[in-house]
Amino acid sequence: MKDYTISRRRMVEEQVIDRGVTDPRVLDAMLKVPRHKFVEEALAGKSYQDAPLPIGEKQTISQPYMVATMSEALMLDGSETVLEVGTGSGYQAAVLALLADRVFSLERIPSLARRARKVLDSNGFSKVNIRLADGTVGWQDMAPFDGIIVTAGAPKVPQEYLNQLSVGGRLIIPVGDRESQVLMRITRVGETEYKEEKMLGCRFVPLIGNQGWKQEN
Ligand code: SAM
């Protein structure tokens, strides 16, 4: 079995630290999570490259830098309850498992949710809770969340995400059109008050569902 430790260290140094991510807990988590296990075996050799990769069902595992940036933007200290929308491969959820206390993740495609469950369990990330559902309405039963991270591009910010944030909590979400978005951080600064920050341009697959885009045939 190939040892990817050196590839992983180079990924963190060249793609993450060199581009300005500094949170030591995020860097440490990305050094620990075996990214190559979250893609098909045939793509394992490419899994530490500076790019998203296909994971089937026309979906992708996000670029390492994007995972690092979004994780850092949540500003976690390890005590939080976090919701991810878009489990995909399970890689971002595994990184979150090392950064937060409780992790909930929603995926709408059954085969991806099943595969992510398996990979997470076999790599020591059983604490991640996955649910097969339309994540555009959040996960009311588990709310409030100290962090919500949406890993698919939304046409607008679903109201339920704002409602399900705790006061002080942060929502990280790409918002824009189907092809390109702006990554936003929205902080709930009071019961009815939110602060919005634009972070950077990005390209995610669409968030599809009740409060997202319509499925295209
Ligand atoms: N976080 C993932 C990872 O680490 O591999 C990458 C996610 S991929 C870029 C986006 C994912 O969002 C896809 O798996 C897609 O099926 C999922 N998705 C899109 N709309 C969704 C929705 N309404 N609810 C839940 N998941 C959704």
Side-chain angles (χ1 to χ4, degrees), residues 87-99:
T87 315
S89 69
Y91 175 71
Q92 171 78 71
V95 171
L96 292 172
L98 297 180
L99 296 173

PDB file of all heavy atoms in Angstrom, residues 87-99:
ATOM      1  N   THR A  87     -22.508  15.987   1.789  1.00  0.00           N
ATOM      2  CA  THR A  87     -21.492  15.050   2.302  1.00  0.00           C
ATOM      3  C   THR A  87     -20.511  14.635   1.212  1.00  0.00           C
ATOM      4  O   THR A  87     -19.307  14.508   1.474  1.00  0.00           O
ATOM      5  CB  THR A  87     -22.166  13.759   2.837  1.00  0.00           C
ATOM      6  OG1 THR A  87     -23.292  14.106   3.644  1.00  0.00           O
ATOM      7  CG2 THR A  87     -21.204  12.909   3.637  1.00  0.00           C
ATOM      8  N   GLY A  88     -21.032  14.391   0.000  1.00  0.00           N
ATOM      9  CA  GLY A  88     -20.182  13.962  -1.123  1.00  0.00           C
ATOM     10  C   GLY A  88     -19.339  12.759  -0.749  1.00  0.00           C
ATOM     11  O   GLY A  88     -19.851  11.707  -0.377  1.00  0.00           O
ATOM     12  N   SER A  89     -18.022  12.913  -0.821  1.00  0.00           N
ATOM     13  CA  SER A  89     -17.094  11.810  -0.507  1.00  0.00           C
ATOM     14  C   SER A  89     -16.965  11.559   0.986  1.00  0.00           C
ATOM     15  O   SER A  89     -16.463  10.514   1.406  1.00  0.00           O
ATOM     16  CB  SER A  89     -15.707  12.160  -1.041  1.00  0.00           C
ATOM     17  OG  SER A  89     -15.162  13.244  -0.289  1.00  0.00           O
ATOM     18  N   GLY A  90     -17.312  12.564   1.800  1.00  0.00           N
ATOM     19  CA  GLY A  90     -17.111  12.454   3.251  1.00  0.00           C
ATOM     20  C   GLY A  90     -15.817  13.111   3.719  1.00  0.00           C
ATOM     21  O   GLY A  90     -15.565  13.205   4.925  1.00  0.00           O
ATOM     22  N   TYR A  91     -14.999  13.597   2.783  1.00  0.00           N
ATOM     23  CA  TYR A  91     -13.681  14.147   3.176  1.00  0.00           C
ATOM     24  C   TYR A  91     -13.808  15.398   4.053  1.00  0.00           C
ATOM     25  O   TYR A  91     -13.187  15.487   5.120  1.00  0.00           O
ATOM     26  CB  TYR A  91     -12.853  14.454   1.913  1.00  0.00           C
ATOM     27  CG  TYR A  91     -11.545  15.142   2.232  1.00  0.00           C
ATOM     28  CD1 TYR A  91     -10.504  14.447   2.849  1.00  0.00           C
ATOM     29  CD2 TYR A  91     -11.353  16.486   1.928  1.00  0.00           C
ATOM     30  CE1 TYR A  91      -9.307  15.079   3.158  1.00  0.00           C
ATOM     31  CE2 TYR A  91     -10.150  17.125   2.232  1.00  0.00           C
ATOM     32  CZ  TYR A  91      -9.132  16.412   2.845  1.00  0.00           C
ATOM     33  OH  TYR A  91      -7.957  17.050   3.158  1.00  0.00           O
ATOM     34  N   GLN A  92     -14.631  16.348   3.627  1.00  0.00           N
ATOM     35  CA  GLN A  92     -14.792  17.570   4.434  1.00  0.00           C
ATOM     36  C   GLN A  92     -15.356  17.220   5.820  1.00  0.00           C
ATOM     37  O   GLN A  92     -14.947  17.794   6.840  1.00  0.00           O
ATOM     38  CB  GLN A  92     -15.736  18.550   3.705  1.00  0.00           C
ATOM     39  CG  GLN A  92     -16.164  19.757   4.510  1.00  0.00           C
ATOM     40  CD  GLN A  92     -15.111  20.853   4.599  1.00  0.00           C
ATOM     41  OE1 GLN A  92     -14.826  21.532   3.621  1.00  0.00           O
ATOM     42  NE2 GLN A  92     -14.533  21.024   5.783  1.00  0.00           N
ATOM     43  N   ALA A  93     -16.263  16.254   5.853  1.00  0.00           N
ATOM     44  CA  ALA A  93     -16.846  15.834   7.139  1.00  0.00           C
ATOM     45  C   ALA A  93     -15.775  15.253   8.053  1.00  0.00           C
ATOM     46  O   ALA A  93     -15.788  15.479   9.268  1.00  0.00           O
ATOM     47  CB  ALA A  93     -17.964  14.818   6.892  1.00  0.00           C
ATOM     48  N   ALA A  94     -14.826  14.502   7.479  1.00  0.00           N
ATOM     49  CA  ALA A  94     -13.736  13.929   8.282  1.00  0.00           C
ATOM     50  C   ALA A  94     -12.860  15.042   8.854  1.00  0.00           C
ATOM     51  O   ALA A  94     -12.467  14.999  10.025  1.00  0.00           O
ATOM     52  CB  ALA A  94     -12.908  12.980   7.419  1.00  0.00           C
ATOM     53  N   VAL A  95     -12.568  16.051   8.043  1.00  0.00           N
ATOM     54  CA  VAL A  95     -11.784  17.201   8.531  1.00  0.00           C
ATOM     55  C   VAL A  95     -12.551  17.883   9.670  1.00  0.00           C
ATOM     56  O   VAL A  95     -11.984  18.181  10.726  1.00  0.00           O
ATOM     57  CB  VAL A  95     -11.481  18.184   7.364  1.00  0.00           C
ATOM     58  CG1 VAL A  95     -10.873  19.482   7.889  1.00  0.00           C
ATOM     59  CG2 VAL A  95     -10.539  17.531   6.348  1.00  0.00           C
ATOM     60  N   LEU A  96     -13.848  18.056   9.492  1.00  0.00           N
ATOM     61  CA  LEU A  96     -14.668  18.703  10.536  1.00  0.00           C
ATOM     62  C   LEU A  96     -14.693  17.864  11.813  1.00  0.00           C
ATOM     63  O   LEU A  96     -14.734  18.408  12.921  1.00  0.00           O
ATOM     64  CB  LEU A  96     -16.101  18.922  10.035  1.00  0.00           C
ATOM     65  CG  LEU A  96     -16.267  19.955   8.917  1.00  0.00           C
ATOM     66  CD1 LEU A  96     -17.694  19.927   8.381  1.00  0.00           C
ATOM     67  CD2 LEU A  96     -15.898  21.359   9.407  1.00  0.00           C
ATOM     68  N   ALA A  97     -14.657  16.537  11.642  1.00  0.00           N
ATOM     69  CA  ALA A  97     -14.696  15.654  12.822  1.00  0.00           C
ATOM     70  C   ALA A  97     -13.502  15.907  13.740  1.00  0.00           C
ATOM     71  O   ALA A  97     -13.595  15.710  14.946  1.00  0.00           O
ATOM     72  CB  ALA A  97     -14.724  14.191  12.370  1.00  0.00           C
ATOM     73  N   LEU A  98     -12.385  16.357  13.159  1.00  0.00           N
ATOM     74  CA  LEU A  98     -11.200  16.655  13.971  1.00  0.00           C
ATOM     75  C   LEU A  98     -11.218  18.081  14.522  1.00  0.00           C
ATOM     76  O   LEU A  98     -10.375  18.446  15.322  1.00  0.00           O
ATOM     77  CB  LEU A  98      -9.932  16.440  13.139  1.00  0.00           C
ATOM     78  CG  LEU A  98      -9.700  15.005  12.648  1.00  0.00           C
ATOM     79  CD1 LEU A  98      -8.420  14.927  11.827  1.00  0.00           C
ATOM     80  CD2 LEU A  98      -9.634  14.033  13.815  1.00  0.00           C
ATOM     81  N   LEU A  99     -12.173  18.879  14.044  1.00  0.00           N
ATOM     82  CA  LEU A  99     -12.185  20.303  14.435  1.00  0.00           C
ATOM     83  C   LEU A  99     -13.332  20.687  15.364  1.00  0.00           C
ATOM     84  O   LEU A  99     -13.277  21.731  16.004  1.00  0.00           O
ATOM     85  CB  LEU A  99     -12.296  21.177  13.171  1.00  0.00           C
ATOM     86  CG  LEU A  99     -11.130  21.108  12.186  1.00  0.00           C
ATOM     87  CD1 LEU A  99     -11.471  21.896  10.922  1.00  0.00           C
ATOM     88  CD2 LEU A  99      -9.863  21.657  12.838  1.00  0.00           C
TER      89      LEU A  99
END
